[in-house]
Amino acid sequence: MDKKNALRAGALASGTTLMMLLMSSPALALTRDDGDDPGKGLSVLDTLGLYVAAPIVIFLVIAGLVVLGDKSRKQPKQG
């Protein structure tokens, strides 16, 4: 019975996804709107710095602060 339900759920999910993809209209990103002023694009280094390096640095800073906060709370063992 579980196999039949799993197959039914998979068919329903894939059918729904397919219908959503077929019925959705394209994003029309090439058509400019009135008043659209996009500005200059980012270079490769700007993009890598903004979307790769900055999140890694922020993650490392937060992780470092957590580790430092954890080490300061540890009590020395009483023997």
Side-chain angles (χ1 to χ4, degrees):
M1 201 62 162
D2 287 355
K3 234 182 202 183
K4 193 174 186 180
N5 285 339
L7 186 61
R8 184 178 296 153
L12 181 66
S14 62
T16 303
T17 303
L18 182 63
M19 289 304 293
M20 294 284 281
L21 287 173
L22 290 174
M23 300 299 258
S24 64
S25 61
L28 301 176
L30 297 177
T31 305
R32 300 286 299 269
D33 291 332
D34 290 338
D36 191 14
D37 190 17
K40 71 178 192 83
L42 296 175
S43 70
V44 174
L45 290 177
D46 290 340
T47 304
L48 288 175
L50 185 62
Y51 295 108
V52 176
I56 291 173
V57 168
I58 292 170
F59 173 79
L60 291 175
V61 167
I62 293 171
L65 291 172
V66 168
V67 168
L68 287 176
D70 187 44
K71 285 187 178 185
S72 66
R73 285 191 200 160
K74 287 187 179 178
Q75 299 292 331
K77 289 185 178 181
Q78 299 288 330

